[in-house]
Amino acid sequence: MTSPFPLLRVPNLPLARIIDFMEPNELVPLSFCSQKSHSVIKTLRKASCDEHLLVGGSEKNVLSILFKNFGCVLSTTDSAYISSFQKEEYVKLGGQQVRVKFHRLRNHLITYWEDKLTGLEAITDYVIDLFNIDVSEVCISKYSFKMIEWVNNRQTTPLKKIVYMAMAWGPCSSEDEMNYILKDCRCSSEILIYSEAPPNFRFLNNFRRIDCLDISNSKWVTIDNLLSMDGIDIILGSSTLTSSDMNVFLKHWLSGGCPRLKLFLARIDTVDVSQLLDGLVHNAVLVVDRRDYTSPFGHIRTLPSGVDIRRADGVTATVCYQQTGKLVIAVWPETTYNYN
């Protein structure tokens, strides 16, 4: 039988190297072993410059803390799911003893709470403190909606990305929730809304500057809404915009509106080319060569053909209606995707 390795007795320099080689989901359980193990990880670990912390609260039963490009490191679920046959193990979290289990298939610790949102706040605080990192992204549902404000209130750095997911068994977003996400919440880069808006919802304000806006069900988005947007990637699913609306938007872009736009994509049932290009034919060049386009936020589109239009400053955009029912406007040249 081999003897246990005295990890915490290793000198700081090689110990720091060992800790840096360990994955976050290995460091979290180790940090619960003792005050010294927690202190050593917190003090000696050097965070990678491309680390991004995600708070995932879109599921009803499991809420998680994840590192982007790595996976889950700690999660919380309802204490009602504890099996009476499981060995009882506890750690101190949020000022209380919390029951935990190591999920061998997913390779991370699960914590059990009577109130999962309280648990999510506690494990978020713990991971932020341990790794000295702010939350970059939240993925929430109606159930965990308040996590947006909770995270923004506890850190000075605004969230980079908010994903609002509808749950199949839950109601659609409320007007207050939609208005808060679109107008009031602090988010510096991406907002993704994968939820239906309330019936007859209308957004009556101008859109604030949102780098990437992705709305899966955008039937409520009007041409007036679109003309007030200032985005780099604009993705509209299930749109009710018409060919005439898109003609107005193209003329708006040609005259200098939405100046940062790199990719516009809308799912539109049918497109009337004569209405789409009305008044623009003199500035339209037919392109039959297939081209691939990648937007700054990583959206990849294949443009089998299309029409090029040129702005007064020389910037060219390709307008392409695809057989999948998507109207694409791709502004050249492509620029490199960069999350930071």
Side-chain angles (χ1 to χ4, degrees):
M1 177 181 293
T2 58
S3 301
F5 180 67
L7 179 65
L8 299 182
R9 295 180 184 175
V10 174
N12 278 357
L13 185 59
L15 180 57
R17 295 291 301 275
I18 293 171
I19 288 173
D20 285 340
F21 276 117
M22 295 177 70
E23 301 287 2
N25 67 323
E26 297 169 329
L27 292 172
V28 169
L30 178 62
S31 72
F32 285 120
C33 292
S34 68
Q35 289 183 348
K36 183 175 181 179
S37 63
H38 181 280
S39 176
V40 163
I41 294 168
K42 180 177 171 62
T43 305
L44 298 183
R45 183 177 184 269
K46 294 179 181 178
S48 170
C49 61
D50 62 350
E51 283 186 345
H52 299 286
L53 191 65
L54 288 63
V55 175
S58 62
E59 297 183 46
K60 187 175 182 180
N61 295 328
V62 180
L63 308 177
S64 306
I65 304 294
L66 309 92
F67 276 87
K68 191 176 179 71
N69 300 326
F70 173 76
C72 185
V73 297
L74 196 58
S75 66
T76 176
T77 190
D78 199 308
S79 56
Y81 292 97
I82 299 175
S83 168
S84 59
F85 298 101
Q86 292 176 355
K87 179 183 176 182
E88 293 189 13
E89 295 182 292
Y90 292 85
V91 298
K92 189 172 183 179
L93 264 173
Q96 59 182 296
Q97 292 295 315
V98 178
R99 191 166 176 180
V100 298
K101 182 187 80 169
F102 188 77
H103 198 301
R104 297 191 180 279
L105 291 178
R106 298 181 180 178
N107 206 28
H108 70 263
L109 277 178
I110 301 175
T111 63
Y112 295 90
W113 301 77
E114 291 185 7
D115 181 349
K116 295 188 299 297
L117 276 181
T118 299
L120 183 58
E121 291 173 1
I123 65 175
T124 302
D125 267 334
Y126 186 84
V127 172
I128 286 172
D129 176 72
L130 180 66
F131 294 109
N132 192 29
I133 185 174
D134 281 336
V135 177
S136 297
E137 175 182 339
V138 294
C139 179
I140 47 90
S141 66
K142 179 178 283 288
Y143 172 76
S144 53
F145 191 84
K146 73 170 190 176
M147 287 302 298
I148 301 175
E149 193 166 358
W150 182 87
V151 170
N152 271 330
N153 284 341
R154 72 163 313 286
Q155 61 188 43
T156 57
T157 306
L159 287 164
K160 291 183 177 179
K161 183 175 181 179
I162 293 173
V163 183
Y164 186 24
M165 303 281 290
M167 297 186 294
W169 55 85
C172 65
S173 312
S174 70
E175 288 196 16
D176 286 344
E177 289 167 348
M178 290 292 291
N179 282 312
Y180 176 77
I181 291 175
L182 294 169
K183 182 167 67 79
D184 297 324
C185 72
R186 285 198 309 140
C187 180
S188 65
S189 192
E190 297 179 74
I191 293 180
L192 287 64
I193 303 175
Y194 299 147
S195 171
E196 289 204 21
N200 304 316
F201 173 73
R202 288 291 180 266
F203 186 63
L204 302 178
N205 300 278
N206 287 335
F207 274 78
R208 60 194 172 88
R209 184 183 174 106
I210 302 172
D211 294 341
C212 177
L213 179 63
D214 186 343
I215 305 172
S216 66
N217 192 323
S218 64
K219 294 176 182 177
W220 55 270
V221 176
T222 66
I223 182 58
D224 288 336
N225 291 147
L226 184 57
L227 294 178
S228 74
M229 292 183 186
D230 177 12
I232 297 172
D233 283 23
I234 300 173
I235 314 295
L236 303 177
S238 303
S239 173
T240 56
L241 295 170
T242 65
S243 300
S244 296
D245 289 335
M246 294 312 305
N247 174 263
V248 171
F249 180 69
L250 287 174
K251 290 176 179 177
H252 173 68
W253 178 81
L254 285 167
S255 63
C258 204
R260 302 189 302 143
L261 184 69
K262 296 301 290 185
L263 176 70
F264 174 87
L265 187 153
R267 184 177 290 278
I268 300 175
D269 289 338
T270 58
V271 168
D272 184 318
V273 176
S274 62
Q275 292 181 11
L276 180 67
L277 298 179
D278 182 40
L280 302 176
V281 175
H282 68 285
N283 188 23
V285 177
L286 180 65
V287 178
V288 295
D289 294 335
R290 167 189 165 127
R291 288 175 290 178
D292 293 323
Y293 183 90
T294 302
S295 77
F297 286 87
H299 296 103
I300 301 173
R301 306 305 305 175
T302 296
L303 310 176
S305 60
V307 172
D308 280 359
I309 57 175
R310 186 184 296 270
R311 209 162 54 188
D313 60 1
V315 176
T316 298
T318 298
V319 183
C320 173
Y321 182 66
Q322 302 177 321
Q323 292 182 346
T324 55
K326 294 177 180 177
L327 179 68
V328 180
I329 303 172
V331 180
W332 305 93
E334 298 170 288
T335 54
T336 304
Y337 169 66
N338 183 5
Y339 185 95
N340 293 303

